[in-house]
Amino acid sequence: MKWHGRLPDGMKVTSHTPSGFTVELGLPLGPDGMFPLRCPEVPEHEFGVPQAFLDSDDSDTMSCPCCGHRAEGRAFFTEDERRRLDSAAEAAATAYIDNAIDDMFRKFDRSFRGNKFVKVTSSRTPRRRLGPLHNYDVPEARRTMTHEACGLTYAVFGLAVYCPRCGDTAPHEQFAELMEIQRRALSLFDELPSEKRAEYDATGVITRTYETSVKDTFGALETLLRDEFLARTPDAACLVKGRGNVFQRLGDASALYQEHLGLDLAGVAGDAWTTCLEGMAVRHILVHNNGVIDERYIAAVPAAAAKLRTRISVDRQTADRVLAAAMTVAQAATGSTP
């Protein structure tokens, strides 16, 4: 039997010359057909890419979709994949060396065969047994994403805002991903039994989730407005230098868009713009005043004057309304539907 006939299942010799050989090794794919990978910087960040992408030169370097860490493609292999590669390399080397030793002894025996003056006997230990390759199961990713600019579709398990191929994400794609996270967060308690929901409500977990959604929604909107403006405006960095978090102040952000891009955000967004102004005021007191209504909030929402120095109440309806309004403003700024 030729040496490569001893290789474990999953391995196949594709070329063999006096100077070396090439072995093809199969690696398990997920149920979705994606090749599983893991960020070398943050191992908890798992994702998957198509086999065709992995086989291309584009995968020589890639980015983690979750944190953006960029490294050589091989650095993203999982521990299971490395163990399978190591076991395959060991099996190939063992089979090849065993065969080479057998050939050496056969040639040695032939060279002295029929010699009346020299009698040579040789023996060697039995061939080493080649065990099966390391095998493992690949979990199915929770969803797939397609990067608009380069067209790569990839699989993710959680929050992901970077493209594995180019390491970039358009501002509106990143915003859409973050808004999807907020949608899911707001619906977490919908299917709970009434008793469990009442328990979470009593401990403040549900209210805190709604408040966090408002804060995170406007954090994402601020980032979108900034990145979109910087990408579309010449010398944008100079225009906003020294102005602090100008995109956190929607009025100032609108003025920049109007002056330099000719885009009237308030006019295009309509009623959603007013809702966002109120939502930004809510975010401010949540972040800077522990949710207690102050004069700045009253200036943005005059109808709340009677509630001065009381703590604001953020319910599901408020969180949903703010989320929808922020998405409308984002669409006005980018011309895309988040």
Side-chain angles (χ1 to χ4, degrees), residues 29-90:
L29 301 178
D32 50 11
M34 294 287 183
F35 187 89
L37 296 171
R38 176 172 292 174
C39 178
E41 185 73 9
V42 185
E44 292 78 12
H45 293 167
E46 299 177 318
F47 61 104
V49 296
Q51 183 70 48
F53 166 67
L54 198 69
D55 293 339
S56 70
D57 293 339
D58 290 344
S59 67
D60 288 347
T61 59
M62 66 177 75
S63 296
C64 170
C66 303
C67 66
H69 177 73
R70 195 159 184 85
E72 290 186 0
R74 73 183 82 178
F76 288 87
F77 276 29
T78 67
E79 185 61 30
D80 277 322
E81 287 158 354
R82 294 179 189 279
R83 288 182 60 188
R84 185 171 175 86
L85 289 169
D86 288 344
S87 63
E90 181 180 355

Side-chain angles (χ1 to χ4, degrees), residues 172-186:
H172 71 275
E173 288 181 314
Q174 186 178 78
F175 181 80
E177 171 68 2
L178 293 172
M179 291 304 97
E180 181 60 29
I181 296 294
Q182 296 310 315
R183 285 195 192 99
R184 290 199 293 270
L186 291 174

Side-chain angles (χ1 to χ4, degrees), residues 74-225:
R74 73 183 82 178
F76 288 87
F77 276 29
T78 67
E79 185 61 30
D80 277 322
E81 287 158 354
R82 294 179 189 279
R83 288 182 60 188
R84 185 171 175 86
L85 289 169
D86 288 344
S87 63
E90 181 180 355
T94 298
Y96 184 79
I97 292 172
D98 283 350
N99 187 74
I101 292 174
D102 287 344
D103 283 346
M104 180 184 69
F105 274 102
R106 281 193 294 269
K107 291 177 182 178
F108 187 75
D109 288 342
R110 283 197 300 268
S111 65
F112 288 96
R113 190 176 300 162
N115 191 310
K116 298 179 180 180
F117 304 99
V118 179
K119 184 177 181 181
V120 177
T121 59
S122 62
S123 64
R124 58 162 301 192
T125 57
R127 289 180 172 183
R128 289 163 286 184
R129 183 175 180 180
L130 303 181
L133 300 178
H134 174 67
N135 210 354
Y136 51 92
D137 294 323
V138 180
E140 184 173 7
R142 293 175 184 167
R143 58 203 172 91
T144 58
M145 302 177 62
T146 300
H147 183 42
E148 186 176 287
C150 70
L152 178 68
T153 297
Y154 51 98
V156 294
F157 288 86
L159 173 63
V161 295
Y162 301 94
C163 172
R165 172 185 280 148
C166 61
D168 195 13
T169 300
H172 71 275
E173 288 181 314
Q174 186 178 78
F175 181 80
E177 171 68 2
L178 293 172
M179 291 304 97
E180 181 60 29
I181 296 294
Q182 296 310 315
R183 285 195 192 99
R184 290 199 293 270
L186 291 174
S187 65
L188 283 176
F189 306 103
D190 291 348
E191 304 301 324
L192 286 178
S194 57
E195 290 184 4
K196 181 61 70 172
R197 182 183 175 89
E199 177 185 336
Y200 285 145
D201 201 11
T203 58
V205 171
I206 295 180
T207 298
R208 181 64 68 179
T209 298
Y210 296 155
E211 291 178 354
T212 299
S213 178
V214 170
K215 291 187 287 187
D216 290 350
T217 292
F218 283 110
L221 181 61
E222 173 194 348
T223 300
L224 168 78
L225 293 175

Side-chain angles (χ1 to χ4, degrees), residues 269-313:
D271 291 341
W273 184 258
T274 301
T275 300
C276 277
L277 290 175
E278 295 176 358
M280 272 294 195
V282 172
R283 176 185 184 273
H284 173 79
I285 61 172
L286 288 174
V287 173
H288 301 289
N289 206 36
N290 195 30
V292 177
I293 295 175
D294 56 13
E295 287 78 4
R296 179 172 174 176
Y297 181 81
I298 299 300
V301 189
K307 299 180 180 179
L308 183 64
R309 297 186 182 86
T310 63
R311 196 176 193 283
I312 195 167
S313 176

